[in-house]
Amino acid sequence: MTSRREQRAMADRLGVHADACAWCTIDKIPQPPADVLDAAGNPRLRPGKLRPLGMVGAALAVLFAPLVMLLALLSNAEEALKRTLATKEEKGRLRAKGEDERRRDAIIVQRGFDQVFDGNWHGSAGRFLLRWYDHSPHHQRLLLVTPEELVLAAPPRRVSVGREKSMRVVARLSAAEAYLIDPFSGEFATQTLLIRFQDGSWLRVETEDPRSALHMHTLRRPHAS
């Protein structure tokens, strides 16, 4: 989790007076129709490949995968035991939490938030998505919010470490073009946020942490739709 001090330092390094910022990612970009892809000049639709150091890190991750799975199983077993030994009041809270999660998941599917964007390649969000990895092949973006605009920053190439040191501004969206919203208005602690464009189209981003500084910002300063 990035501290507020680190967030301010990153924003200052970019020369952006941000109200809030956080690292985020997007889901896999779906394959656009051939005519849309050709008209856009066949842009990059996937992040760049890992460089040698990153490949070493990925190999180590594979080696430790069994341990991670074991820890996950132990954690699930611990949760099951807690549910078994829980008091009546605790079981009631667990049931309420499960109902909230099911309701959240149903809303996500119903509103199409399980997709990376609204699906209209000719809308502002679709056109912006097509240029996502042309802006930078790095798989993450630092998303910063100011009163005047949304700013996206990233390293000029994909890196496995030191993303903050090499990042630069790769895109800007003025307040007249787009704004940031929590689609659940803070009801659920999720990592999901939407960049909503003025034509109604939207692009979904996922922050590294639930209820990030960006989520808190959208609750403090909700956009009047």
Side-chain angles (χ1 to χ4, degrees):
M1 184 174 182
T2 306
S3 69
R4 289 186 178 181
R5 179 180 296 178
E6 291 172 321
Q7 291 173 1
R8 285 195 297 269
M10 289 188 293
D12 290 344
R13 190 177 297 122
L14 293 167
V16 178
H17 299 291
D19 293 333
C21 66
W23 285 98
C24 64
T25 59
I26 61 169
D27 276 351
K28 181 179 178 180
I29 299 176
Q31 185 67 25
D35 60 328
V36 170
L37 198 61
D38 289 342
N42 293 293
R44 173 193 286 270
L45 299 178
R46 300 290 180 267
K49 293 181 179 180
L50 284 171
R51 298 177 74 84
L53 180 60
M55 293 173 67
V56 171
L60 289 174
V62 171
L63 289 175
F64 283 104
L67 177 60
V68 173
M69 292 176 63
L70 175 60
L71 292 174
L73 288 172
L74 290 174
S75 177
N76 291 338
E78 182 182 7
E79 288 298 320
L81 182 61
K82 285 181 179 179
R83 286 194 295 270
T84 301
L85 300 178
T87 64
K88 184 177 180 180
E89 290 78 11
E90 289 170 338
K91 287 180 179 178
R93 286 196 294 270
L94 288 170
R95 280 195 298 271
K97 180 182 178 183
E99 290 172 1
D100 281 346
E101 289 174 349
R102 286 189 290 273
R103 187 159 57 88
R104 176 203 64 201
D105 293 344
I107 291 172
I108 287 173
V109 174
Q110 180 184 17
R111 298 183 183 176
F113 297 153
D114 53 339
Q115 306 300 315
V116 69
F117 81 122
D118 62 285
N120 178 13
W121 289 108
H122 300 289
S124 296
R127 294 196 301 271
F128 189 77
L129 184 61
L130 281 171
R131 298 300 178 192
W132 188 267
Y133 292 117
D134 273 359
H135 295 156
S136 167
H138 191 61
H139 61 297
Q140 299 166 313
R141 296 287 184 275
L142 181 67
L143 178 56
L144 307 98
V145 182
T146 81
E148 296 81 23
E149 61 183 353
L150 301 179
V151 180
L152 292 104
R157 57 181 175 82
R158 184 167 184 179
V159 296
S160 53
V161 294
R163 59 185 181 178
E164 293 87 358
K165 295 178 181 178
S166 59
M167 66 179 175
R168 56 181 173 80
V169 172
V170 296
R172 295 178 183 270
L173 292 167
S174 72
E177 294 177 275
Y179 53 94
L180 194 67
I181 64 169
D182 178 349
F184 305 108
S185 301
E187 183 179 0
F188 306 111
T190 73
Q191 295 167 260
T192 300
L193 289 168
L194 301 184
I195 298 176
R196 185 176 292 279
F197 292 79
Q198 293 295 353
D199 63 356
S201 61
W202 52 263
L203 169 63
R204 177 171 61 85
V205 298
E206 297 290 319
T207 57
E208 288 186 324
D209 305 297
R211 289 201 169 144
S212 67
L214 293 177
H215 289 83
M216 297 300 100
H217 176 78
T218 62
L219 295 182
R220 291 193 304 270
R221 300 183 182 180
H223 190 278
S225 300

